[in-house]
mmCIF file of all heavy atoms in Angstrom:
data_model
loop_
_atom_site.group_PDB
_atom_site.id
_atom_site.type_symbol
_atom_site.label_atom_id
_atom_site.label_comp_id
_atom_site.label_asym_id
_atom_site.label_seq_id
_atom_site.Cartn_x
_atom_site.Cartn_y
_atom_site.Cartn_z
ATOM 1 N N GLU A 535 164.643 104.988 248.252
ATOM 2 C CA GLU A 535 163.569 104.964 247.277
ATOM 3 C C GLU A 535 162.768 103.622 247.384
ATOM 4 O O GLU A 535 161.569 103.637 247.043
ATOM 5 C CB GLU A 535 164.279 105.028 245.933
ATOM 6 C CG GLU A 535 164.120 106.366 245.218
ATOM 7 C CD GLU A 535 164.860 106.297 243.825
ATOM 8 O OE1 GLU A 535 164.257 105.685 242.920
ATOM 9 O OE2 GLU A 535 165.988 106.720 243.750
ATOM 10 N N LEU A 536 163.473 102.598 247.810
ATOM 11 C CA LEU A 536 162.826 101.338 247.990
ATOM 12 C C LEU A 536 161.626 101.419 248.927
ATOM 13 O O LEU A 536 160.702 100.706 248.878
ATOM 14 C CB LEU A 536 163.798 100.323 248.439
ATOM 15 C CG LEU A 536 163.803 98.958 248.023
ATOM 16 C CD1 LEU A 536 163.754 98.810 246.537
ATOM 17 C CD2 LEU A 536 164.983 98.205 248.594
ATOM 18 N N LEU A 537 161.669 102.463 249.925
ATOM 19 C CA LEU A 537 160.736 102.439 250.964
ATOM 20 C C LEU A 537 159.461 103.359 250.516
ATOM 21 O O LEU A 537 158.539 103.553 251.312
ATOM 22 C CB LEU A 537 161.298 103.137 252.162
ATOM 23 C CG LEU A 537 162.391 102.154 252.820
ATOM 24 C CD1 LEU A 537 162.996 102.870 253.962
ATOM 25 C CD2 LEU A 537 161.862 100.885 253.183
ATOM 26 N N LEU A 538 159.500 103.869 249.266
ATOM 27 C CA LEU A 538 158.293 104.501 248.746
ATOM 28 C C LEU A 538 157.149 103.501 248.804
ATOM 29 O O LEU A 538 157.268 102.378 248.539
ATOM 30 C CB LEU A 538 158.547 105.006 247.349
ATOM 31 C CG LEU A 538 159.557 106.099 247.139
ATOM 32 C CD1 LEU A 538 159.758 106.392 245.655
ATOM 33 C CD2 LEU A 538 159.200 107.376 247.962
ATOM 34 N N PRO A 539 155.914 104.061 249.118
ATOM 35 C CA PRO A 539 154.715 103.230 249.221
ATOM 36 C C PRO A 539 154.554 102.282 248.014
ATOM 37 O O PRO A 539 154.261 101.092 248.142
ATOM 38 C CB PRO A 539 153.544 104.171 249.347
ATOM 39 C CG PRO A 539 154.180 105.407 249.792
ATOM 40 C CD PRO A 539 155.546 105.566 249.307
ATOM 41 N N ALA A 540 154.767 102.758 246.822
ATOM 42 C CA ALA A 540 154.599 102.037 245.583
ATOM 43 C C ALA A 540 155.544 100.774 245.604
ATOM 44 O O ALA A 540 155.102 99.648 245.250
ATOM 45 C CB ALA A 540 154.830 102.808 244.351
ATOM 46 N N ASN A 541 156.756 101.056 246.064
ATOM 47 C CA ASN A 541 157.689 99.965 246.032
ATOM 48 C C ASN A 541 157.501 99.005 247.095
ATOM 49 O O ASN A 541 157.672 97.803 246.940
ATOM 50 C CB ASN A 541 159.172 100.538 246.050
ATOM 51 C CG ASN A 541 159.496 101.287 244.843
ATOM 52 O OD1 ASN A 541 158.943 101.035 243.764
ATOM 53 N ND2 ASN A 541 160.458 102.176 244.879
ATOM 54 N N ILE A 542 157.076 99.480 248.316
ATOM 55 C CA ILE A 542 156.709 98.625 249.390
ATOM 56 C C ILE A 542 155.549 97.736 248.960
ATOM 57 O O ILE A 542 155.589 96.476 249.230
ATOM 58 C CB ILE A 542 156.225 99.473 250.592
ATOM 59 C CG1 ILE A 542 157.478 100.117 251.217
ATOM 60 C CG2 ILE A 542 155.631 98.509 251.676
ATOM 61 C CD1 ILE A 542 158.263 99.255 252.098
ATOM 62 N N ASP A 543 154.648 98.200 248.246
ATOM 63 C CA ASP A 543 153.518 97.445 247.693
ATOM 64 C C ASP A 543 153.980 96.277 246.925
ATOM 65 O O ASP A 543 153.525 95.165 247.009
ATOM 66 C CB ASP A 543 152.583 98.360 246.783
ATOM 67 C CG ASP A 543 151.377 98.935 247.496
ATOM 68 O OD1 ASP A 543 151.345 98.724 248.743
ATOM 69 O OD2 ASP A 543 150.565 99.483 246.814
ATOM 70 N N ILE A 544 154.941 96.602 246.008
ATOM 71 C CA ILE A 544 155.525 95.546 245.129
ATOM 72 C C ILE A 544 156.101 94.436 245.956
ATOM 73 O O ILE A 544 155.904 93.199 245.752
ATOM 74 C CB ILE A 544 156.615 96.133 244.236
ATOM 75 C CG1 ILE A 544 155.908 97.121 243.199
ATOM 76 C CG2 ILE A 544 157.376 95.028 243.478
ATOM 77 C CD1 ILE A 544 156.882 97.861 242.302
ATOM 78 N N ILE A 545 156.869 94.805 246.997
ATOM 79 C CA ILE A 545 157.539 93.795 247.791
ATOM 80 C C ILE A 545 156.542 92.928 248.584
ATOM 81 O O ILE A 545 156.674 91.728 248.530
ATOM 82 C CB ILE A 545 158.553 94.545 248.862
ATOM 83 C CG1 ILE A 545 159.658 95.140 248.018
ATOM 84 C CG2 ILE A 545 159.079 93.546 249.826
ATOM 85 C CD1 ILE A 545 160.496 96.101 248.791
ATOM 86 N N VAL A 546 155.613 93.669 249.201
ATOM 87 C CA VAL A 546 154.526 92.910 249.929
ATOM 88 C C VAL A 546 153.778 91.915 249.012
ATOM 89 O O VAL A 546 153.596 90.783 249.342
ATOM 90 C CB VAL A 546 153.602 93.800 250.676
ATOM 91 C CG1 VAL A 546 152.363 93.122 251.182
ATOM 92 C CG2 VAL A 546 154.284 94.616 251.738
ATOM 93 N N ARG A 547 153.379 92.394 247.820
ATOM 94 C CA ARG A 547 152.667 91.588 246.884
ATOM 95 C C ARG A 547 153.478 90.379 246.514
ATOM 96 O O ARG A 547 152.929 89.202 246.477
ATOM 97 C CB ARG A 547 152.376 92.481 245.608
ATOM 98 C CG ARG A 547 151.613 91.740 244.570
ATOM 99 C CD ARG A 547 151.433 92.640 243.358
ATOM 100 N NE ARG A 547 150.726 93.894 243.777
ATOM 101 C CZ ARG A 547 151.180 95.190 243.405
ATOM 102 N NH1 ARG A 547 152.242 95.274 242.582
ATOM 103 N NH2 ARG A 547 150.532 96.299 243.808
ATOM 104 N N THR A 548 154.740 90.611 246.237
ATOM 105 C CA THR A 548 155.571 89.373 245.826
ATOM 106 C C THR A 548 155.708 88.417 246.925
ATOM 107 O O THR A 548 155.606 87.233 246.684
ATOM 108 C CB THR A 548 157.007 89.913 245.324
ATOM 109 O OG1 THR A 548 156.786 90.997 244.435
ATOM 110 C CG2 THR A 548 157.738 88.864 244.669
ATOM 111 N N VAL A 549 156.013 88.870 248.143
ATOM 112 C CA VAL A 549 156.196 87.966 249.264
ATOM 113 C C VAL A 549 154.947 87.212 249.559
ATOM 114 O O VAL A 549 154.912 85.928 249.846
ATOM 115 C CB VAL A 549 156.750 88.631 250.476
ATOM 116 C CG1 VAL A 549 156.897 87.767 251.691
ATOM 117 C CG2 VAL A 549 158.184 89.260 250.232
ATOM 118 N N ALA A 550 153.843 87.875 249.518
ATOM 119 C CA ALA A 550 152.492 87.213 249.746
ATOM 120 C C ALA A 550 152.264 86.184 248.778
ATOM 121 O O ALA A 550 151.893 84.999 249.025
ATOM 122 C CB ALA A 550 151.345 88.232 249.793
ATOM 123 N N MET A 551 152.439 86.507 247.470
ATOM 124 C CA MET A 551 152.245 85.498 246.398
ATOM 125 C C MET A 551 153.146 84.305 246.550
ATOM 126 O O MET A 551 152.766 83.211 246.498
ATOM 127 C CB MET A 551 152.564 86.178 245.019
ATOM 128 C CG MET A 551 152.392 85.280 243.817
ATOM 129 S SD MET A 551 150.747 84.509 243.604
ATOM 130 C CE MET A 551 149.981 85.715 242.522
ATOM 131 N N ALA A 552 154.439 84.565 246.983
ATOM 132 C CA ALA A 552 155.351 83.424 247.168
ATOM 133 C C ALA A 552 154.912 82.529 248.311
ATOM 134 O O ALA A 552 154.958 81.300 248.189
ATOM 135 C CB ALA A 552 156.755 84.050 247.509
#
Side-chain angles (χ1 to χ4, degrees):
Chain A
E535 261 179 75
L536 216 53
L537 297 177
L538 294 177
N541 291 339
I542 291 281
D543 262 6
I544 293 176
I545 293 168
V546 170
R547 181 179 305 132
T548 310
V549 174
M551 179 60 92

